[in-house]
Amino acid sequence: MTERADIVVVGAGHAGLEAAVAAARLGVRVVLLNTDLEDVAGMPCNPSVGGVGKGHLVREIDALGGVMGRLADAASIGTRTLNTSKGAAVQAPRAQCDRRSYRTAARELLFSTDNLRLLQGHAAQLLVEDDHVVGLRTDMGVELSCRAVVLATGTFLGGEIFVGLNSFAGGRDNARAATALRRSLLECGVELVRLKTGTSPRLDAATVDTGALVRQDPEEPPPRFSFSGPPPPGPFLPCYLTATTPAVHEAIRRGLEQSPLYTGLIEGVGPRYCPSIEDKVVRFPEREVHQLFLEPTGLDGDEYYVSGLATSLAYPTQLAMLAAIPGLERAVVTRPGYAVVYDCLAPHQLSATLAVEGIAGLFACGQLCGSSGYEEAAAQGLLVGINAALYVEGRGREFTLRRDQAYIGVLIDDLIQRWGAEPYRVFTARAEHRLALRADNADGRLTALGAELGLIGEDRARRSERKYRWRDLLVAWADGRRLDAADCRRLGRPELAGLRAAQLVPRRDVDALELLTVLAGGDDGLPAELRSSLTPSGPARESLRVAVNDLRYAGYLRRHAEAARREERLAATRLPADIDYDEVLGLRTEAAQKLSRQRPRTLGQARRVPGVNPADITPLLSYLRRRRRLQPAEED
């Protein structure tokens, strides 16, 4: 039996969800294939969205017209802004979510999206003719004819779950592994790499002594991810903090003889920045304490996820270490922690659109591309959904983002150019333009692009345009507005007389937001509509917040802009596809080897290949100049 679509998306996790919705909204017919239609957009690890770096991604997804921000706000049971004691560039929202509400809202969205059809089934074989995707076959024999396939298989591709020395095939939460699809990809010549990730035990909340723990309440009013959707409705629940003890570490050491990680059963590479608790204890023996967070998994409060306690140790060892943690001495485990080993694509096979090179019409996103995290997966899914739609419509264009435009650009570029053979996670430190890539200005950077694509409506685009028009007015006004004696009397700060408002914004002894609100509200030099909207809930308030941060970072932003222009010039310099790096005079052997393997398309990409130093770019430029001079003679 054959059914037809333009695009088939395999997997309805956070990546597949964004890919399917984006492509359908762009007008192409999409079939979203998932093993279980009751289990979409699941949260098999910690029940949260956002955080530093990750929260930036979610705001960018929303700014482009994606859905994760709205779903997280709707399902939030407690949201906080992290890093409020630090600069705005590293501040970002993080929400605890009700897993069931998130899944329900995602499912309702999928069923109500035009051009999108859901189908329950298990992908078994990729159908390829003349190196072009022509369809996909399920294990029930249903053949889906299409022009593009998006693989968003998460940890399911060849997935194997470990608890102690026990193991079984599965992607997560005891779900079925994608074994046949793995064989099909290998037959198509796709190169796969083995990775590992893990999850923590979940506990019966009624058996946890929260009175012995440090309580962490959510922020009121709660911050939100979406620039246009409603705020989190509540009610909200607290989290709790506890920590390991020397007795916990001793229980872990005793249990290492039944650890799949330390007995060689697990061969995949795990995440460096989110290791298992047994890895922490072995690698950092001097540490007597590791902090843990108890996160409610839903509004009903019946389970806690123990964040920071990811483990694949045997079940008796898990019980022993939990019994030695303050507040958890009598805790009952509802779901043991486990590790999952799975396959991902070797990222050197991916283009900047996350198309799989060598098989036209095949795209990949999420953990299949070597990343970790719901947010990283959703960001890739949105970009892939856009590019798959552009591909099947034959528009002859691609949608990509630069490193200076978005964390999404940093994520994709790092995956295809800098991937370190381990699950990749976004950090603000990875972004050289992070002072410009803040969570508060994501809509200013990306909403116009979303509107151009057709993912953002006209009304929302106009509101965003007004927000940043007002921002520009406020920045220019603050740069020329000097405080007079009357201003200083109102503020009770006579020593500020004669200073420009912009000079005062970076000062720690000045509440910049309050200062500019007072000054701007009574200044006839600004539009009346703007001045009347500077109330705490008024539309100009967000313009003022962005203006304050831009003024604080003004010097840095100018330098970032110049660096971005230089990078753009390098990015525009294309490298010939047939270049033989061994023939480039002055290029180091290591750089030639790395470039030969990665085959970057531009000098900008070549700069970011691990093992290539800035000094290696000079011989490449010289080679290109010589080649251009010789080209006309060769043609004659």
Side-chain angles (χ1 to χ4, degrees):
M1 180 178 179
T2 301
E3 299 189 18
R4 299 188 181 279
D6 294 315
I7 299 172
V8 174
V9 178
V10 180
H14 301 281
L17 169 71
E18 295 284 355
V21 172
R25 286 179 173 173
L26 292 180
V28 300
R29 296 170 302 156
V30 179
V31 170
L32 178 57
L33 181 71
N34 201 54
T35 304
D36 182 359
L37 293 187
E38 299 299 325
D39 183 18
V40 302
M43 292 183 170
C45 196
N46 60 321
S48 68
V49 170
V52 180
K54 292 173 175 284
H56 291 71
L57 281 178
V58 181
R59 297 215 97 195
E60 290 180 353
I61 291 166
D62 184 79
L64 278 170
V67 301
M68 177 173 259
R70 285 181 177 240
L71 293 176
D73 284 342
S76 172
I77 55 175
T79 308
R80 300 174 63 241
T81 301
L82 304 188
N83 277 351
T84 53
S85 62
K86 299 181 180 179
V90 294
Q91 294 178 14
R94 183 179 189 270
Q96 293 300 134
C97 293
D98 183 303
R99 297 172 74 204
R100 298 181 186 89
S101 295
Y102 195 102
R103 184 187 298 123
T104 299
R107 195 167 179 273
E108 290 173 353
L109 171 68
L110 290 170
F111 273 102
S112 63
T113 298
D114 293 338
N115 302 317
L116 176 57
R117 180 198 166 195
L118 277 75
L119 178 63
Q120 184 162 297
H122 201 69
Q125 184 181 4
L126 186 68
L127 304 178
V128 178
E129 293 180 4
D130 298 326
D131 296 328
H132 283 70
V133 164
V134 296
L136 186 85
R137 185 176 291 118
T138 75
D139 62 349
M140 299 296 289
V142 177
E143 193 168 296
L144 300 168
S145 173
C146 62
R147 295 181 59 195
V149 168
V150 173
L151 298 177
T153 54
T155 59
F156 284 69
L157 197 68
E160 188 176 10
I161 289 176
F162 289 85
V163 180
L165 302 182
N166 300 305
S167 66
F168 53 91
R172 56 163 173 79
D173 279 353
N174 299 327
R176 181 180 174 187
T179 305
L181 182 60
R182 177 181 186 271
R183 286 197 301 268
S184 178
L185 290 173
L186 291 172
E187 290 168 359
C188 291
V190 175
E191 183 182 345
L192 301 178
V193 179
R194 205 78 169 147
L195 294 182
K196 164 198 169 288
T197 189
T199 186
S200 299
R202 291 181 177 83
L203 310 177
D204 181 344
T207 64
V208 173
D209 181 11
T210 56
L213 305 180
V214 177
R215 177 175 170 136
Q216 188 179 69
D217 286 303
E219 199 172 324
E220 289 280 6
R224 63 187 189 184
F225 290 103
S226 178
F227 288 96
S228 60
F236 306 116
L237 297 178
C239 293
Y240 293 92
L241 278 65
T242 184
T244 62
T245 64
V248 175
H249 298 186
E250 182 56 35
I252 290 170
R253 293 187 187 98
R254 288 197 304 268
L256 290 178
E257 62 184 20
Q258 289 191 310
S259 164
L261 190 62
Y262 286 93
T263 55
L265 290 180
I266 291 180
E267 297 179 356
V269 180
R272 180 187 310 181
Y273 300 104
C274 189
S276 64
I277 188 63
E278 54 265 38
D279 217 12
K280 293 178 188 176
V281 169
V282 171
R283 287 167 53 190
F284 308 107
E286 72 283 359
R287 291 279 301 273
E288 294 187 354
V289 170
H290 293 282
Q291 193 170 55
L292 306 173
F293 295 84
L294 267 65
E295 303 176 348
T297 64
L299 194 56
D300 50 22
D302 56 5
E303 279 186 310
Y304 282 120
Y305 179 88
V306 191
S307 184
L309 203 68
T311 184
S312 59
L313 290 167
Y315 183 58
T317 303
Q318 294 189 35
L319 295 179
M321 66 181 185
L322 285 166
I325 296 173
L328 310 186
E329 294 88 350
R330 296 177 178 80
V332 172
V333 173
T334 54
R335 312 182 204 199
Y338 62 85
V340 57
V341 182
Y342 59 98
D343 287 321
C344 80
L345 303 181
H348 68 82
Q349 303 166 103
L350 299 170
S351 73
T353 64
L354 296 184
V356 180
E357 297 184 337
I359 306 177
L362 182 61
F363 296 81
C365 52
Q367 286 179 279
L368 182 60
C369 294
S371 65
S372 67
Y374 312 142
E375 302 84 357
E376 289 88 344
Q380 294 170 62
L382 177 59
L383 181 127
V384 163
I386 294 168
N387 280 297
L390 294 174
Y391 170 81
V392 301
E393 289 184 341
R395 297 192 191 181
R397 59 170 291 201
E398 298 176 343
F399 179 74
T400 58
L401 292 166
R402 302 187 309 273
R403 296 181 68 92
D404 64 293
Q405 279 183 296
Y407 272 92
I408 298 175
V410 175
L411 164 66
I412 303 300
D413 189 63
D414 280 354
L415 282 176
I416 64 176
Q417 295 294 332
R418 297 182 174 185
W419 188 65
E422 63 186 34
Y424 176 92
R425 177 181 177 181
V426 160
F427 291 105
T428 53
R430 296 191 191 273
E432 61 272 33
H433 300 286
R434 58 186 168 274
L435 297 183
L437 306 181
R438 305 191 306 270
D440 68 319
N441 68 5
D443 54 339
R445 294 182 276 115
L446 301 174
T447 293
L449 294 177
E452 182 183 338
L453 287 164
L455 293 174
I456 296 288
E458 290 184 9
D459 183 61
R460 181 176 174 186
R462 282 195 298 269
R463 290 199 304 272
S464 179
E465 188 277 330
R466 181 187 63 183
K467 173 180 173 179
Y468 287 90
R469 176 164 41 83
W470 283 356
R471 184 275 312 267
D472 293 342
L473 285 172
L474 287 163
V475 168
W477 163 83
D479 196 47
R481 175 68 158 82
R482 291 188 181 276
L483 277 68
D484 57 25
D487 295 326
C488 293
R489 282 196 297 272
R490 275 191 298 164
L491 296 167
R493 300 289 298 272
E495 75 279 9
L496 302 181
L499 296 177
R500 290 181 295 111
Q503 290 177 279
L504 298 173
V505 169
R507 288 177 48 164
R508 294 190 177 186
D509 64 335
V510 172
D511 184 333
L513 192 63
E514 182 61 28
L515 170 75
L516 296 189
T517 300
V518 171
L519 295 179
D523 197 311
D524 293 338
L526 290 169
E529 183 188 11
L530 188 160
R531 287 184 282 116
S532 64
S533 301
L534 284 171
T535 58
S537 59
R541 192 70 169 184
E542 286 305 307
S543 302
L544 186 61
R545 291 182 190 278
V546 179
V548 165
N549 290 329
D550 283 349
L551 287 164
R552 281 184 175 141
Y553 291 130
Y556 298 103
L557 292 177
R558 282 192 291 272
R559 290 195 287 273
H560 276 296
E562 178 54 36
R565 283 192 289 271
R566 288 196 302 270
E567 182 67 27
E568 193 169 358
R569 289 194 292 271
L570 286 175
T573 305
R574 300 194 67 83
L575 292 168
D578 62 348
I579 185 172
D580 184 347
Y581 289 100
D582 292 328
E583 294 184 355
V584 178
L585 297 176
L587 187 63
R588 293 178 309 112
T589 301
E590 180 189 3
Q593 292 173 346
K594 295 294 178 64
L595 291 167
S596 296
R597 176 174 174 77
Q598 292 288 90
R599 308 304 302 182
R601 296 180 177 184
T602 67
L603 275 176
Q605 291 180 355
R607 279 186 61 193
R608 297 189 292 276
V609 172
V612 175
N613 297 331
D616 295 316
I617 301 303
T618 301
L620 280 173
L621 282 168
S622 299
Y623 170 87
L624 292 175
R625 293 190 190 103
R626 286 197 305 273
R627 180 167 172 146
R628 290 193 190 103
R629 285 198 301 269
L630 293 173
Q631 195 69 33
E634 291 174 356
E635 291 175 355
D636 291 340

